[in-house]
Amino acid sequence: MGLGEILSKAALNTCLGMGTVFLMLIFISSVIYLLRFIPDKKEKSGETEQTAYKEEREFSDDDETVAVIAAALQAFEEDEKEEVSQTRAATVFTAKKIRKR
């Protein structure tokens, strides 16, 4: 086996390997592209994104619900502040200066 034959086989192996990789990448990208055409379950049930957004928006306009959520958040924050202050009080360290006599 001469140097020319070894280099030609190496070039052939390189081309086959790179070709395989690029063919697989093209195949994967085409599969991903075709996934766009699979119908969504929401569209089958008759519910569109616009109706879901509209229902969500109507829910957020309810003043009573907004007030309840705001009160719950405020109560949660107060509980968190109390827990943090109790934890800090339990973990307070004091540094004292020690003098040798």
Side-chain angles (χ1 to χ4, degrees):
M1 252 190 191
L3 184 62
E5 287 182 24
I6 293 173
L7 289 176
S8 66
K9 286 185 179 183
L12 180 64
N13 286 339
T14 302
C15 290
L16 284 175
M18 289 176 63
T20 304
V21 168
F22 282 115
L23 284 175
M24 291 306 295
L25 287 173
I26 291 169
F27 174 73
I28 290 170
S29 65
S30 63
V31 168
I32 291 172
Y33 175 76
L34 292 175
L35 286 176
R36 294 180 186 176
F37 299 110
I38 296 176
D40 195 15
K41 291 181 181 179
K42 288 182 181 177
E43 292 176 8
K44 286 183 180 179
S45 66
E47 181 180 338
T48 62
E49 292 180 19
Q50 292 177 352
T51 57
Y53 176 73
K54 188 175 182 180
E55 289 174 5
E56 181 180 327
R57 190 148 189 210
E58 288 175 2
F59 180 73
S60 67
D61 290 340
D62 188 13
D63 292 334
E64 183 179 347
T65 306
V66 172
V68 169
I69 292 172
L73 286 174
Q74 185 177 3
F76 177 75
E77 288 177 359
E78 288 176 2
D79 287 344
E80 287 292 317
K81 287 179 184 176
E82 288 177 10
E83 288 179 13
V84 168
S85 64
Q86 290 173 358
T87 307
R88 285 186 184 163
T91 59
V92 171
F93 296 105
T94 57
K96 296 183 179 179
K97 192 171 186 180
I98 301 175
R99 295 184 185 176
K100 288 186 180 181
R101 296 183 187 186

mmCIF file of all heavy atoms in Angstrom, residues 65-89:
data_model
loop_
_atom_site.group_PDB
_atom_site.id
_atom_site.type_symbol
_atom_site.label_atom_id
_atom_site.label_comp_id
_atom_site.label_asym_id
_atom_site.label_seq_id
_atom_site.Cartn_x
_atom_site.Cartn_y
_atom_site.Cartn_z
ATOM 1 N N THR A 65 -62.027 39.226 42.253
ATOM 2 C CA THR A 65 -60.940 38.257 42.162
ATOM 3 C C THR A 65 -59.592 38.936 42.332
ATOM 4 O O THR A 65 -58.699 38.417 43.017
ATOM 5 C CB THR A 65 -60.989 37.537 40.805
ATOM 6 O OG1 THR A 65 -62.291 36.987 40.622
ATOM 7 C CG2 THR A 65 -59.965 36.427 40.732
ATOM 8 N N VAL A 66 -59.432 40.092 41.733
ATOM 9 C CA VAL A 66 -58.184 40.836 41.852
ATOM 10 C C VAL A 66 -57.939 41.224 43.307
ATOM 11 O O VAL A 66 -56.816 41.122 43.816
ATOM 12 C CB VAL A 66 -58.196 42.085 40.940
ATOM 13 C CG1 VAL A 66 -57.000 42.966 41.207
ATOM 14 C CG2 VAL A 66 -58.249 41.671 39.484
ATOM 15 N N ALA A 67 -58.985 41.635 44.005
ATOM 16 C CA ALA A 67 -58.849 42.020 45.410
ATOM 17 C C ALA A 67 -58.457 40.825 46.278
ATOM 18 O O ALA A 67 -57.616 40.935 47.172
ATOM 19 C CB ALA A 67 -60.150 42.633 45.908
ATOM 20 N N VAL A 68 -59.049 39.666 46.014
ATOM 21 C CA VAL A 68 -58.731 38.468 46.785
ATOM 22 C C VAL A 68 -57.283 38.050 46.559
ATOM 23 O O VAL A 68 -56.556 37.721 47.502
ATOM 24 C CB VAL A 68 -59.701 37.317 46.417
ATOM 25 C CG1 VAL A 68 -59.236 35.989 46.992
ATOM 26 C CG2 VAL A 68 -61.103 37.643 46.878
ATOM 27 N N ILE A 69 -56.838 38.097 45.324
ATOM 28 C CA ILE A 69 -55.459 37.720 45.018
ATOM 29 C C ILE A 69 -54.488 38.699 45.659
ATOM 30 O O ILE A 69 -53.466 38.297 46.225
ATOM 31 C CB ILE A 69 -55.253 37.633 43.493
ATOM 32 C CG1 ILE A 69 -56.047 36.450 42.928
ATOM 33 C CG2 ILE A 69 -53.779 37.500 43.145
ATOM 34 C CD1 ILE A 69 -56.074 36.367 41.430
ATOM 35 N N ALA A 70 -54.797 39.988 45.623
ATOM 36 C CA ALA A 70 -53.929 40.994 46.234
ATOM 37 C C ALA A 70 -53.849 40.791 47.745
ATOM 38 O O ALA A 70 -52.766 40.892 48.337
ATOM 39 C CB ALA A 70 -54.437 42.392 45.912
ATOM 40 N N ALA A 71 -54.970 40.485 48.384
ATOM 41 C CA ALA A 71 -54.968 40.246 49.828
ATOM 42 C C ALA A 71 -54.159 38.995 50.172
ATOM 43 O O ALA A 71 -53.414 38.970 51.160
ATOM 44 C CB ALA A 71 -56.400 40.104 50.338
ATOM 45 N N ALA A 72 -54.284 37.957 49.374
ATOM 46 C CA ALA A 72 -53.524 36.732 49.625
ATOM 47 C C ALA A 72 -52.028 36.978 49.477
ATOM 48 O O ALA A 72 -51.226 36.486 50.277
ATOM 49 C CB ALA A 72 -53.972 35.634 48.666
ATOM 50 N N LEU A 73 -51.638 37.738 48.468
ATOM 51 C CA LEU A 73 -50.223 38.056 48.288
ATOM 52 C C LEU A 73 -49.684 38.885 49.443
ATOM 53 O O LEU A 73 -48.567 38.656 49.912
ATOM 54 C CB LEU A 73 -50.008 38.791 46.965
ATOM 55 C CG LEU A 73 -50.110 37.937 45.714
ATOM 56 C CD1 LEU A 73 -50.037 38.811 44.474
ATOM 57 C CD2 LEU A 73 -49.009 36.902 45.684
ATOM 58 N N GLN A 74 -50.470 39.832 49.917
ATOM 59 C CA GLN A 74 -50.022 40.662 51.026
ATOM 60 C C GLN A 74 -49.858 39.827 52.300
ATOM 61 O O GLN A 74 -48.877 39.971 53.027
ATOM 62 C CB GLN A 74 -51.017 41.792 51.269
ATOM 63 C CG GLN A 74 -50.556 42.769 52.333
ATOM 64 C CD GLN A 74 -51.526 43.920 52.503
ATOM 65 O OE1 GLN A 74 -52.573 43.954 51.869
ATOM 66 N NE2 GLN A 74 -51.188 44.857 53.351
ATOM 67 N N ALA A 75 -50.792 38.924 52.551
ATOM 68 C CA ALA A 75 -50.691 38.058 53.719
ATOM 69 C C ALA A 75 -49.476 37.144 53.609
ATOM 70 O O ALA A 75 -48.763 36.913 54.590
ATOM 71 C CB ALA A 75 -51.961 37.227 53.871
ATOM 72 N N PHE A 76 -49.225 36.645 52.419
ATOM 73 C CA PHE A 76 -48.060 35.791 52.212
ATOM 74 C C PHE A 76 -46.768 36.546 52.464
ATOM 75 O O PHE A 76 -45.854 36.041 53.109
ATOM 76 C CB PHE A 76 -48.079 35.234 50.789
ATOM 77 C CG PHE A 76 -46.870 34.406 50.456
ATOM 78 C CD1 PHE A 76 -46.737 33.122 50.959
ATOM 79 C CD2 PHE A 76 -45.872 34.914 49.644
ATOM 80 C CE1 PHE A 76 -45.628 32.357 50.653
ATOM 81 C CE2 PHE A 76 -44.761 34.160 49.341
ATOM 82 C CZ PHE A 76 -44.642 32.879 49.844
ATOM 83 N N GLU A 77 -46.683 37.775 51.971
ATOM 84 C CA GLU A 77 -45.477 38.580 52.169
ATOM 85 C C GLU A 77 -45.260 38.901 53.646
ATOM 86 O O GLU A 77 -44.128 38.896 54.130
ATOM 87 C CB GLU A 77 -45.551 39.860 51.348
ATOM 88 C CG GLU A 77 -45.384 39.639 49.861
ATOM 89 C CD GLU A 77 -45.530 40.920 49.055
ATOM 90 O OE1 GLU A 77 -45.774 41.983 49.661
ATOM 91 O OE2 GLU A 77 -45.396 40.857 47.830
ATOM 92 N N GLU A 78 -46.334 39.176 54.378
ATOM 93 C CA GLU A 78 -46.192 39.452 55.809
ATOM 94 C C GLU A 78 -45.689 38.221 56.552
ATOM 95 O O GLU A 78 -44.846 38.324 57.436
ATOM 96 C CB GLU A 78 -47.527 39.932 56.386
ATOM 97 C CG GLU A 78 -47.896 41.334 55.951
ATOM 98 C CD GLU A 78 -49.258 41.765 56.455
ATOM 99 O OE1 GLU A 78 -49.899 40.969 57.183
ATOM 100 O OE2 GLU A 78 -49.684 42.871 56.109
ATOM 101 N N ASP A 79 -46.200 37.046 56.205
ATOM 102 C CA ASP A 79 -45.726 35.810 56.831
ATOM 103 C C ASP A 79 -44.248 35.590 56.527
ATOM 104 O O ASP A 79 -43.484 35.178 57.395
ATOM 105 C CB ASP A 79 -46.539 34.606 56.341
ATOM 106 C CG ASP A 79 -47.940 34.574 56.930
ATOM 107 O OD1 ASP A 79 -48.170 35.286 57.936
ATOM 108 O OD2 ASP A 79 -48.798 33.848 56.390
ATOM 109 N N GLU A 80 -43.849 35.868 55.295
ATOM 110 C CA GLU A 80 -42.443 35.698 54.918
ATOM 111 C C GLU A 80 -41.555 36.660 55.710
ATOM 112 O O GLU A 80 -40.478 36.289 56.153
ATOM 113 C CB GLU A 80 -42.257 35.933 53.411
ATOM 114 C CG GLU A 80 -42.782 34.826 52.549
ATOM 115 C CD GLU A 80 -41.973 33.551 52.702
ATOM 116 O OE1 GLU A 80 -40.735 33.631 52.745
ATOM 117 O OE2 GLU A 80 -42.582 32.475 52.789
ATOM 118 N N LYS A 81 -42.011 37.905 55.894
ATOM 119 C CA LYS A 81 -41.216 38.880 56.642
ATOM 120 C C LYS A 81 -41.044 38.445 58.085
ATOM 121 O O LYS A 81 -39.977 38.570 58.666
ATOM 122 C CB LYS A 81 -41.874 40.265 56.593
ATOM 123 C CG LYS A 81 -41.741 40.951 55.254
ATOM 124 C CD LYS A 81 -42.424 42.296 55.271
ATOM 125 C CE LYS A 81 -42.386 42.958 53.909
ATOM 126 N NZ LYS A 81 -43.117 44.219 53.880
ATOM 127 N N GLU A 82 -42.116 37.904 58.705
ATOM 128 C CA GLU A 82 -42.036 37.431 60.082
ATOM 129 C C GLU A 82 -41.064 36.261 60.205
ATOM 130 O O GLU A 82 -40.261 36.200 61.125
ATOM 131 C CB GLU A 82 -43.415 37.019 60.583
ATOM 132 C CG GLU A 82 -44.346 38.187 60.835
ATOM 133 C CD GLU A 82 -45.724 37.732 61.266
ATOM 134 O OE1 GLU A 82 -45.902 36.527 61.543
ATOM 135 O OE2 GLU A 82 -46.623 38.572 61.304
ATOM 136 N N GLU A 83 -41.113 35.324 59.254
ATOM 137 C CA GLU A 83 -40.214 34.173 59.292
ATOM 138 C C GLU A 83 -38.766 34.608 59.128
ATOM 139 O O GLU A 83 -37.883 34.121 59.812
ATOM 140 C CB GLU A 83 -40.588 33.171 58.201
ATOM 141 C CG GLU A 83 -41.866 32.412 58.485
ATOM 142 C CD GLU A 83 -42.211 31.449 57.366
ATOM 143 O OE1 GLU A 83 -41.346 31.196 56.501
ATOM 144 O OE2 GLU A 83 -43.337 30.949 57.347
ATOM 145 N N VAL A 84 -38.528 35.563 58.249
ATOM 146 C CA VAL A 84 -37.168 36.044 58.029
ATOM 147 C C VAL A 84 -36.649 36.759 59.270
ATOM 148 O O VAL A 84 -35.512 36.552 59.685
ATOM 149 C CB VAL A 84 -37.111 36.969 56.788
ATOM 150 C CG1 VAL A 84 -35.790 37.697 56.712
ATOM 151 C CG2 VAL A 84 -37.356 36.169 55.522
ATOM 152 N N SER A 85 -37.498 37.580 59.887
ATOM 153 C CA SER A 85 -37.035 38.296 61.078
ATOM 154 C C SER A 85 -36.777 37.324 62.228
ATOM 155 O O SER A 85 -35.836 37.498 62.995
ATOM 156 C CB SER A 85 -38.055 39.363 61.489
ATOM 157 O OG SER A 85 -39.269 38.759 61.868
ATOM 158 N N GLN A 86 -37.592 36.269 62.371
ATOM 159 C CA GLN A 86 -37.351 35.274 63.405
ATOM 160 C C GLN A 86 -36.072 34.493 63.124
ATOM 161 O O GLN A 86 -35.301 34.204 64.031
ATOM 162 C CB GLN A 86 -38.538 34.315 63.504
ATOM 163 C CG GLN A 86 -39.782 34.956 64.074
ATOM 164 C CD GLN A 86 -40.976 34.028 63.989
ATOM 165 O OE1 GLN A 86 -40.884 32.930 63.479
ATOM 166 N NE2 GLN A 86 -42.112 34.496 64.499
ATOM 167 N N THR A 87 -35.829 34.180 61.881
ATOM 168 C CA THR A 87 -34.619 33.449 61.522
ATOM 169 C C THR A 87 -33.385 34.294 61.767
ATOM 170 O O THR A 87 -32.385 33.818 62.280
ATOM 171 C CB THR A 87 -34.673 33.025 60.047
ATOM 172 O OG1 THR A 87 -35.886 32.317 59.818
ATOM 173 C CG2 THR A 87 -33.497 32.150 59.685
ATOM 174 N N ARG A 88 -33.458 35.571 61.408
ATOM 175 C CA ARG A 88 -32.323 36.463 61.622
ATOM 176 C C ARG A 88 -32.062 36.664 63.106
ATOM 177 O O ARG A 88 -30.921 36.733 63.542
ATOM 178 C CB ARG A 88 -32.568 37.812 60.950
ATOM 179 C CG ARG A 88 -32.409 37.756 59.454
ATOM 180 C CD ARG A 88 -32.506 39.115 58.851
ATOM 181 N NE ARG A 88 -32.437 39.032 57.401
ATOM 182 C CZ ARG A 88 -32.806 39.983 56.582
ATOM 183 N NH1 ARG A 88 -33.283 41.115 57.061
ATOM 184 N NH2 ARG A 88 -32.704 39.838 55.282
ATOM 185 N N ALA A 89 -33.132 36.758 63.897
ATOM 186 C CA ALA A 89 -32.952 36.944 65.334
ATOM 187 C C ALA A 89 -32.285 35.711 65.944
ATOM 188 O O ALA A 89 -31.501 35.817 66.888
ATOM 189 C CB ALA A 89 -34.288 37.205 66.003
#
